[in-house]
Amino acid sequence: MKPDIFESPDYYQVDDLLTEEHKLVRDAARSWVKKEVSPIIEDYAQKAEFPKQLLNGLAEIGAFGPYIPEVYGGAGLDQISYGLIMQEIERGDSGVRSTASVQSSLVMYPIFKYGTEAQRQKYLPKLASGEYMGCFGLTEPNHGSNPGGMETHFKDKGDHYLLNGAKMWISNAPFADIAVVWAKNEEGRIYGLIVERGMEGFTTPETHNKWSLRASATGELIFDNVKVPKENLLPNKSGLGAPLGCLDSARYGIAWGAIGAAMDCYDTALRYAKERVQFDKPIAATQLQQKKLAEMITEITKAQLLAWRLGVLRNEGKATSAQISMAKRNNVAMAIDIAREARQILGGMGITGEYSIMRHMMNLESVITYEGTHDIHLLITGADITGMSAFK
Ligand code: TGC
Ligand code: FAD
């Protein structure tokens, strides 16, 4: 792969909307990605292997629990810093951002929000440092977009719970030390349970043959009469709103992350178009390629402003779930469109691992599906503006 000479586009001076702390956090993450992620990531994606050596660095740049209070080992940052970290990591690779998203928003967040003080003390500092890695089990073989129908369940056996069921498509599952698992009790009420690797009857087979997020480890979670200690139940919120509340935080991070992938594709395509000469002139001097590039920077700029405004609303505690859905849907679709157009600008070179574009494009096929599909987020907006749900 070529050396990482990425230069971030900022057509509307969005930097002026950021504080000095935001820029410091963003620049630290950007330098780390250039030094540690870019040189190795293509190789790991080709091998379909997660680069575990990145875990310490992710912890050091504050990617594990950016907005979790420092008293629990988090970085204690605001929502815009969190978004900027996700943007920079996904500029490197969506799979690496996935690992950070899951750890922060889908494992640390529910323990922080719905857990007991003892659970916070036991797990959060170790998750923040990367000593423990976590995964989040919501999706099941028969229930993807409709997690409320989940079949995984637990029974109260007096001194423990007995957990049975299966989850699939779980990021980080093959190497996670703990899993936050969503299951129904005997009354059909959904709760989160912390399941630890090594508990008898708990296995995490890896999912192979993916053409997307190849540098991220994906797997199943199988629960065959797993005895879960009662102190591992997250007691402070139940119902479908509990896992969906975690998704709000992760979807917000993805709205920023997708901008990173789009910026990387745009920057690569712009540079290539200026250097590639056909018919005795750079292809950047042709109207057709300028149309592609001009539309890309327009869409990136709109996405930056959407994400920034959403970050302000989240900092003020005013962002709605439907607003988050709009940003996740718009920004991921924007990024995948830009990846496809950028790939064409590079002609045949665009399909090789010499450049990052094809990897981003394939990764984004997962990003547009997980954390709520493109269709589901449209239906969330539709329900919000009409007051009528079209899901069921
Ligand atoms: P519905 O009746 O609408 O809602 C049930 C309860 O949940 C509440 N709620 C929310 N709470 C917080 N945040 C949200 N975003 C919420 N959306 C709904 C709602 O108020 C209600 O509360 P209550 O107290 O009245 O009971 O539920 P529904 O069954 O009709 O489903 C709604 C729908 C389709 C929007 C929801 O199920 C959905 O979002 N489906 C998509 C599933 C999904 O996103 N799965 C993601 C799995 S995790 C993942 O993909 C990780 S990828 C990780 C990575 O690598 O980055
Ligand atoms: P389905 O729900 O079967 O949807 C299939 C199609 O039908 C989609 O196009 C969808 O938009 C459409 N559709 C569904 N319902 C409707 C409707 N009412 N109206 C119109 N169209 C509809 N899950 C986790 O719990 N944890 C993870 O860590 C995790 N990581 C993932 C990593 C990867 C790489 C991938 C690919 C997925 C991951 N997921 C994870 C699962 C992900 O959240 C689901 O794939 C996603 O929610 C969609 O579910 P599904 O694949 O079962 O598709």
Side-chain angles (χ1 to χ4, degrees), residues 136 138-139 144-145 169-171 366 369-371 373 375 379 391:
F136 175 90
L138 181 64
T139 306
S145 296
W169 293 121
I170 307 304
S171 302
S366 287
T369 290
Y370 67 33
E371 301 270 6
T373 67
D375 296 333
L379 294 175
F391 292 109

Side-chain angles (χ1 to χ4, degrees), residues 109-124:
Y109 178 86
I111 293 174
F112 174 62
K113 273 293 207 201
Y114 315 144
T116 61
E117 187 54 29
Q119 289 167 338
R120 290 187 195 134
Q121 303 273 1
K122 179 175 176 187
Y123 295 107
L124 292 178

Side-chain angles (χ1 to χ4, degrees), residues 97-98 145 147 171 240-241 244 247-248 251 321 370-372 392:
R97 196 271 306 136
S98 262
S145 296
S171 302
L240 189 57
L244 291 178
L247 293 182
D248 275 358
R251 290 166 176 174
S321 299
Y370 67 33
E371 301 270 6
K392 297 165 187 163

Side-chain angles (χ1 to χ4, degrees), residues 138 140 146-156 161 167 182-192 233 237-243:
L138 181 64
E140 299 189 351
N146 177 27
M150 71 175 67
E151 294 157 50
T152 300
H153 61 277
F154 62 97
K155 288 190 174 150
D156 189 334
Y161 297 118
K167 303 286 176 179
W182 300 95
K184 285 181 177 163
N185 69 7
E186 283 144 292
E187 287 79 50
R189 189 86 187 152
I190 295 170
Y191 279 91
L233 180 117
K237 188 160 168 87
S238 63
L240 189 57

Side-chain angles (χ1 to χ4, degrees), residues 126-389:
K126 287 185 172 152
L127 290 161
S129 70
E131 183 183 341
Y132 278 3
M133 290 304 297
C135 67
F136 175 90
L138 181 64
T139 306
E140 299 189 351
N142 295 327
H143 301 280
S145 296
N146 177 27
M150 71 175 67
E151 294 157 50
T152 300
H153 61 277
F154 62 97
K155 288 190 174 150
D156 189 334
K157 292 289 180 181
D159 63 342
H160 64 271
Y161 297 118
L162 198 64
L163 178 66
N164 278 287
K167 303 286 176 179
M168 76 180 293
W169 293 121
I170 307 304
S171 302
N172 298 357
F175 60 82
D177 303 287
I178 65 167
V180 170
V181 177
W182 300 95
K184 285 181 177 163
N185 69 7
E186 283 144 292
E187 287 79 50
R189 189 86 187 152
I190 295 170
Y191 279 91
L193 296 159
I194 303 170
V195 180
E196 300 188 13
R197 186 171 295 284
M199 286 181 176
E200 208 178 324
F202 174 43
T203 49
T204 60
E206 184 156 0
T207 303
H208 295 290
N209 297 330
K210 292 180 299 168
W211 285 115
S212 175
L213 288 193
R214 287 170 63 81
S216 161
T218 314
E220 296 167 58
L221 306 175
I222 314 280
F223 313 104
D224 180 9
N225 286 319
V226 181
K227 284 184 181 174
V228 181
K230 284 202 151 167
E231 66 262 24
N232 284 27
L233 180 117
L234 301 176
N236 296 332
K237 188 160 168 87
S238 63
L240 189 57
L244 291 178
C246 309
L247 293 182
D248 275 358
S249 177
R251 290 166 176 174
Y252 164 73
I254 290 171
W256 281 91
I259 298 171
M263 283 177 168
D264 198 49
C265 294
Y266 166 76
D267 181 60
T268 305
L270 178 62
R271 205 181 300 282
Y272 188 90
K274 286 187 194 166
E275 288 168 5
R276 178 70 175 166
V277 173
Q278 290 293 290
F279 300 98
D280 301 321
K281 66 176 185 183
I283 60 170
T286 66
Q287 287 187 355
L288 280 176
Q289 304 317 317
Q290 286 190 6
K291 176 176 188 290
K292 291 192 182 88
L293 292 163
E295 286 176 353
M296 284 182 201
I297 192 62
T298 308
E299 291 308 314
I300 287 172
T301 304
K302 283 153 67 179
Q304 283 177 302
L305 293 169
L306 193 61
W308 176 81
R309 177 64 187 149
L310 188 60
V312 171
L313 289 174
R314 277 182 64 85
N315 278 341
E316 293 171 353
K318 293 197 293 205
T320 66
S321 299
Q323 286 169 335
I324 295 167
S325 282
M326 180 184 281
K328 190 268 184 186
R329 181 177 186 273
N330 181 79
N331 289 10
V332 177
M334 172 280 298
I336 208 166
D337 288 347
I338 286 178
R340 288 170 183 154
E341 292 289 294
R343 212 288 304 150
Q344 292 201 53
I345 291 178
L346 268 70
M349 287 311 292
I351 71 152
T352 72
E354 288 293 299
Y355 295 90
S356 53
I357 295 175
M358 190 83 177
R359 179 167 44 81
H360 282 307
M361 190 169 106
M362 295 194 298
N363 282 342
L364 289 162
E365 291 291 345
S366 287
V367 182
I368 204 164
T369 290
Y370 67 33
E371 301 270 6
T373 67
H374 192 63
D375 296 333
I376 290 295
H377 288 297
L378 177 125
L379 294 175
I380 290 171
T381 305
D384 192 49
I385 58 176
T386 63
M388 294 173 227
S389 167

